[in-house]
Structures are given as structure tokens and as C-alpha cells.
Amino acid sequence: MTEVTSNGVAVPFDDRHAAPLTESSDLLADPVALRRRYAEDGYLYLRGVLDPALVLETRAAYFSRFDPGYLAEGTAVGDGVFSGRRPPELGAHGTVGHPAHGFVRSPEWRRLVEQPALASVASLILDGPCICLPRQIVRQFDRSSGRASRAHVDHTYLDQGRGDVTTLWIPLGDCPLETGPLVYLEGSHRLGADDLEGLRQVTDRPDDRRPLSHDLGWVSEQVGARWRWADFRAGDVAVHSPHIVHASLDVQSDRMRLSADIRFIRDDAEADPRWLVPWAGDDGY
């Protein structure tokens, strides 16, 4: 196995520090058991929730918005294979003028996030009717970026509302280990505020108190818990609690990582107002 890293720091991937995610697709027919698993683990790994063809069409629609030179010569647009050359005029991800900004406002995006299967899963977990929050994010990483999502909990970014929120993370295309998927720190949704504060002692962002550490191996050692991972396939969905610690790994292949973060809240709950408007890469949340 190629060395696993996150934000350029090696992540131990032996049995003491890492383990595969538990698949829960078989529990979709048993909502009570599904919610029990979600409460116990803080996440659900669900295979084949979406039609893989739709997911791959969404991926192709996104990468078709870029200068062709960004993609490897002789490869299909939908493969999203990095050429090694980032267009100098690309700008910051998700800001006005960057393809991601327009994409989350496009019909192709709405076709994905409005799939009934996603709302159905969220309603099962939240045990009631729910709504999809309008601030929906598309994330993209290539191997040149040298960065990944630091360890964090979503609640830090959603704490101005009241009510249960659940996140659906959707890989837009196959996302094996070398393509930088999300990883979850087992049992971390039960950590208290003091425990989380201690995980900010080793950080590459000392002026930003929202993320925890960039050093996932150190976090694993501090908590005494493993990072759970999977080789995701197009159509899979990971669902997680706003309180579970999660992060992403570095992309180490030419195939770029593309994913969607969408969040649902019960329709009788009070949403964080920051999440009631479309996402922009520089909105500060």
C-alpha cells in the first residue's frame, strides 16, 4: 500500500490505527435498527443508494466546466484525470468565477441533490420529515493541492440552529483510498467539549479554532481510537452525525476526488441561518 497521508502528514494504517467502515445497507429495511446503528457508530456506510450512472453523469458535468488543459490528454472528461497543470486563472475553489460556484446552482446539481433516495435516507435517520439545507457543497481535490480536510466536527459550523442535522457525503465517482475519501474516528461522537479542545494542541491552523488537528495519527493516539475508511464506489453514500470527528486523506492518484456534502434537518427544527443560502467558497462558514 502507498503511504497514506493527510495534509502531507503520514497516517498510520495498521490495525491499531485504522479499520474498514461497517456497512449498514442491509438495515435500510429496518429503520429502528438503522437509527440504533447510527446512534452507536455516529455514521452509516450505505452501498448503492444512488444510480451510479447518475453520479458519473454529475461528475462529467462538473469537469466539463474546466479548461480542457486541466484534464489529462486522451482521457474522458467524466474520468476527471488530472493533467498535472492547474489553470493559473482558476481562482479559489467555489468563489465567483470558479466552476464549482456555478455548478452548485446548476440543473445538473439539483438533479443529484433532489434524488428521492437521499431524502428518504435522511428521513429514516431523523425519524420524520426533513428538508435539505440550501447550503450544499461540492469539494474537489487533485494531487497537486497538498491539502485535505482537517479533523473536525460539523457541529462547529452548524451551531446557530437547534435540532438534529445529518450530513450525507456523496463521492461523485469511485473513491478508493488513494483518491482521498473521508475517514471517521470511531466513537468520537461521544467525546466531550474538553476532549475536543485537547485535539487542537497540534494544529497547522493556530489562528482558526474550528478545525481540530491536521495530524490524524496524533489524533488517533490521543483518543485511542481507529480511523474508519472505505473504498467508496459511485452510488455509495456515507451519513454522519454532526458530532463525529472526521477528516479526509490526501489524493495520491491522477484521478481527482470530487464529492458532495449535503445536510438535512427535520422540518420542525430551527436551522442555522447561515445554511439557508447557497454555498460560496469564500462565505467564511
Side-chain angles (χ1 to χ4, degrees):
M1 178 189 294
T2 303
E3 182 183 52
V4 176
T5 64
S6 181
N7 289 291
V9 180
V11 183
F13 247 63
D14 54 34
D15 292 343
R16 190 161 69 92
H17 296 89
L21 289 172
T22 299
E23 186 181 343
S24 297
S25 308
D26 59 322
L27 299 183
L28 286 170
D30 187 345
V32 173
L34 188 75
R35 288 191 288 273
R36 185 183 304 120
R37 173 72 60 77
Y38 181 71
E40 290 173 354
D41 292 351
Y43 73 86
L44 295 169
Y45 172 36
L46 305 173
R47 289 276 197 189
V49 171
L50 294 170
D51 178 359
L54 169 64
V55 173
L56 295 176
E57 288 168 9
T58 306
R59 182 180 178 89
Y62 176 83
F63 283 114
S64 70
R65 292 172 172 251
F66 286 81
D67 184 302
Y70 188 41
L71 304 175
E73 187 176 353
T75 63
V77 172
D79 290 341
V81 178
F82 181 43
S83 67
R85 302 183 301 276
R86 290 179 60 85
E89 70 284 358
L90 193 55
H93 180 74
T95 57
V96 174
H98 186 282
H101 186 276
F103 191 67
V104 297
R105 293 159 175 80
S106 71
E108 295 91 344
W109 178 259
R110 289 195 300 273
R111 183 182 175 209
L112 174 78
V113 300
E114 293 174 1
Q115 286 296 302
L118 300 177
S120 176
V121 166
S123 293
L124 288 176
I125 294 164
L126 297 177
D127 195 16
C130 59
I131 59 170
C132 183
L133 294 175
R135 188 175 185 270
Q136 303 150 3
I137 305 172
V138 64
R139 299 196 188 279
Q140 175 211 341
F141 296 92
D142 62 48
R143 59 174 169 76
S144 75
S145 68
R147 66 183 180 88
S149 297
R150 293 155 182 81
H152 67 283
V153 295
D154 287 350
H155 183 259
T156 305
Y157 303 84
L158 288 154
D159 59 0
Q160 292 185 21
R162 290 184 297 176
D164 289 339
V165 177
T166 194
T167 297
L168 275 64
W169 182 77
I170 307 165
L172 300 179
D174 293 346
C175 191
L177 202 60
E178 62 269 20
T179 315
L182 280 195
V183 290
Y184 295 101
L185 189 65
E186 62 182 359
S188 58
H189 56 304
R190 292 186 287 271
L191 295 176
D194 289 344
D195 299 312
L196 293 176
E197 190 60 32
L199 298 178
R200 294 185 171 91
Q201 294 176 19
V202 175
T203 177
D204 62 350
R205 285 191 171 182
D207 297 327
D208 186 352
R209 303 301 292 173
R210 296 172 301 174
L212 303 172
S213 180
H214 66 295
D215 188 335
L216 304 192
W218 179 82
V219 169
S220 175
E221 290 286 347
Q222 293 300 303
V223 178
R226 299 173 298 180
W227 289 102
R228 306 297 294 264
W229 62 276
D231 283 327
F232 291 92
R233 297 194 297 261
D236 294 350
V237 172
V239 188
H240 63 257
S241 158
H243 300 290
I244 193 168
V245 177
H246 56 290
S248 70
L249 303 177
D250 290 336
V251 177
Q252 300 194 48
S253 71
D254 288 339
R255 185 179 175 84
M256 290 184 270
R257 196 259 268 184
L258 188 68
S259 61
D261 293 357
I262 66 173
R263 293 174 172 87
F264 286 85
I265 188 170
R266 280 182 57 109
D267 65 2
D268 57 359
E270 179 185 333
D272 186 323
R274 297 171 298 180
W275 291 75
L276 297 177
V277 295
W279 164 77
D282 55 355
D283 62 17
Y285 307 145

